[in-house]
Amino acid sequence: MKRERYMYGVRGEQYGIWNTAKKCWQFGICEDTPMLAEARLFQRIGDDARKWRFEVRVLPAEMRKAKPDPLLLAELQRKDRELKLLSRETEQIKAELAAAISDLDSACASLPTCAQCHYCKHHPCPDEMNDECDEFSRWEWRGLQTEKEAG
């Protein structure tokens, strides 16, 4: 195969990997030039691609992958850009929410908490604590004197 054909291929042809030992096409490789097909083979199987049984050959017409319509390809690229932009915006929103939650948690840490369940007054006691933490004893604040201690 001449160097020009190896590097640039022939217009309209696609190349794949033929296993001469098994007499079949392998790895589903379909590239525009023989050089690209061989490079793809090396990506797939590494140095074993140097073995005698693998050859780069022109694919039969029924095995060639069709090129997408240029208009369809442009539409897919536009949608891909939109998805990337949306994912970036989603990550920014997640980061802002995480910062707001940490700010809220730090603000709640400075508030007095219930003596039994240790939740601040902005967060209700968990359901499993509601039986033990009744409405009147729920808000005995740590660090503050209750009516009994003040008396």
Side-chain angles (χ1 to χ4, degrees), residues 106-119:
S106 63
C108 288
S110 63
L111 292 174
T113 59
C114 174
Q116 291 180 357
C117 65
H118 305 294
Y119 276 76

Side-chain angles (χ1 to χ4, degrees), residues 78-142:
R78 184 185 62 78
K79 287 184 179 183
D80 188 42
R81 283 193 304 271
E82 288 176 5
L83 284 174
K84 286 180 182 177
L85 181 63
L86 286 174
S87 68
R88 275 191 233 125
E89 290 173 357
T90 304
E91 291 300 320
Q92 288 176 346
I93 291 171
K94 284 181 182 178
E96 291 171 4
L97 283 175
I101 288 172
S102 68
D103 291 344
L104 181 62
D105 288 343
S106 63
C108 288
S110 63
L111 292 174
T113 59
C114 174
Q116 291 180 357
C117 65
H118 305 294
Y119 276 76
C120 73
K121 67 179 182 177
H122 291 296
H123 294 90
C125 294
D127 291 336
E128 63 270 4
M129 294 297 292
N130 280 340
D131 297 335
E132 300 170 17
C133 189
D134 63 344
E135 195 64 38
F136 296 107
S137 68
R138 177 182 283 187
W139 306 118
E140 292 178 13
W141 309 108
R142 279 188 294 164

Side-chain angles (χ1 to χ4, degrees), residues 13-26:
E13 289 185 348
Q14 290 187 327
Y15 300 87
I17 303 300
W18 177 258
N19 186 333
T20 57
K22 291 185 178 180
K23 306 276 192 249
C24 65
W25 296 99
Q26 284 196 322

Side-chain angles (χ1 to χ4, degrees), residues 27 40-51 54:
F27 308 110
R40 182 76 59 204
L41 178 65
F42 273 92
Q43 285 179 343
R44 289 262 175 103
I45 64 172
D47 280 341
D48 287 340
R50 297 182 195 280
K51 291 185 178 178
F54 299 118

